[in-house]
């Protein structure tokens, strides 16, 4: 699987599946989650409400992933995953890596050939950018899905892209 770094607004990227850094309620929020719900329209929220009513009454657990329609987004599906909140006292990096691996598994099961990830947990969940990139690239570099041929790590600004390129290049 090819992995690319890209500076863009994830809601505009044309791929089969866009990953949403969701909160556990699945009902929208701020940051990437809010942007995906706003741009994708009510179909995503309706699908998330259905998931809450059927399988995830208590919300989506951290590290897990589930798919819905992409509504008005330029994708077929949104894969929702809940990242961990960074902690200086507890190593939660396994949960962060689970977000990427479980999202890839869900996309692969859907038959997606391309997927776009935000930098999960690096916003309001305060995961340090350099380590968040390292965790993402570790999973994406080792993944061997059967359908997904391309993964994009979509970074919102030039500074984050520069950090990601430095981490990718071993610096």
């Amino acid at each position: 699987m090819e992995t690319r770094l890209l500076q863009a607004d994830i809601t505009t990227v044309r791929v089969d599946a866009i990953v949403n850094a969701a909160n556990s309620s699945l009902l929208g929020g701020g940051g990437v989650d809010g942007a995906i719900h706003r741009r994708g329209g009510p179909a995503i929220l309706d699908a998330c409400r259905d998931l809450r009513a059927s399988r995830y009454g208590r919300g989506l657990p951290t590290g897990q992933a589930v798919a819905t329609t992409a509504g008005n987004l330029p994708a077929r599906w949104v894969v929702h995953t809940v990242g961990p909140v960074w902690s200086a006292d507890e190593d939660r990096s396994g949960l962060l890596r689970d977000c990427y691996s479980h999202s890839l598994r869900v996309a692969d099961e859907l038959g997606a050939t391309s997927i776009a990830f935000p930098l999960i947990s690096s916003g309001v969940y305060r995961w340090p950018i350099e380590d968040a990139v390292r965790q993402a690239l570790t999973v994406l570099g080792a993944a061997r899905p059967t359908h997904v041929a391309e993964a994009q790590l979509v970074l919102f600004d030039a500074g984050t892209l520069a950090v990601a390129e430095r981490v990718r290049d071993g610096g």
Side-chain angles (χ1 to χ4, degrees), residues 12-71:
T12 65
V13 177
R14 294 192 176 278
V15 289
D16 291 336
I18 291 175
V19 176
N20 179 18
N23 65 53
S24 63
S25 77
L26 294 174
L27 301 179
V32 169
D33 192 20
I36 285 173
H37 276 270
R38 281 189 302 278
R39 177 85 48 108
I44 296 173
L45 182 57
D46 290 345
C48 287
R49 285 185 176 136
D50 290 345
L51 286 169
R52 285 297 305 265
S54 61
R55 295 176 23 205
Y56 298 103
R58 294 185 172 184
L60 184 66
T62 301
Q64 298 301 306
V66 65
T68 65
T69 180

Side-chain angles (χ1 to χ4, degrees), residues 92-157:
R92 298 177 181 168
S93 57
L95 286 170
L96 182 55
R97 290 189 303 273
D98 284 347
C99 292
Y100 290 93
S101 61
H102 290 159
S103 295
L104 275 172
R105 179 187 45 79
V106 167
D108 195 47
E109 290 170 356
L110 291 168
T113 61
S114 57
I115 188 168
F117 288 91
L119 191 57
I120 298 167
S121 288
S122 67
V124 297
Y125 289 0
R126 302 179 321 276
W127 206 281
I129 301 293
E130 190 170 310
D131 191 60
V133 171
R134 190 173 294 108
Q135 300 300 329
L137 294 180
T138 295
V139 173
L140 298 177
R144 299 291 173 252
T146 56
H147 297 289
V148 181
E150 179 185 67
Q152 297 179 13
L153 187 56
V154 181
L155 308 158
F156 192 71
D157 60 44

